[in-house]
Amino acid sequence: MRKMLVIVAAAGAVAAGAVFAQSGAEVVKAKGCLNCHEVDKKKVGPAFKDIAAKHKDDKGAQASLAAKLKDGKGHPKTAASDAEINAAVGYVLSTK
């Protein structure tokens, strides 16, 4: 019984390793966001710190910005999972 439990736990750990979300900074880099944005200065798109400042008091900013990225409204559509988009938006909103 114990051997079976160890095997099941190991299989679960391997499966979970495949779905660990990247950090927001890693997603921003991997998805090419830095081609148009920088953390502290305007490039083609606004600086991350300016986006964060604009939305600092907006309780729905996370959801609305994620929707823009997912649906391509006001921003080019982003080829990323929901978890990646949410991680990236969280990272952007956390910049100062």
Side-chain angles (χ1 to χ4, degrees):
M1 179 70 176
R2 180 181 168 136
K3 185 176 181 180
M4 179 64 119
L5 183 59
V6 170
I7 291 171
V8 170
V14 169
V19 296
F20 281 136
Q22 294 176 309
S23 74
E26 291 170 333
V27 173
V28 163
K29 185 176 178 183
K31 297 299 179 180
C33 303
L34 298 175
N35 292 335
C36 296
H37 300 275
E38 286 193 30
V39 173
D40 59 351
K41 65 181 178 180
K42 181 175 175 21
K43 205 171 180 180
V44 173
F48 291 157
K49 70 174 188 163
D50 293 338
I51 296 169
K54 179 180 177 180
H55 297 284
K56 72 177 181 170
D57 295 324
D58 181 1
K59 302 287 187 222
Q62 176 80 29
S64 66
L65 292 175
K68 284 183 180 183
L69 294 175
K70 185 175 181 180
D71 300 333
K73 294 185 175 150
H75 186 280
K77 190 171 183 177
T78 304
S81 70
D82 289 346
E84 290 171 325
I85 290 172
N86 283 319
V89 171
Y91 168 72
V92 169
L93 291 174
S94 72
T95 58
K96 301 200 188 291

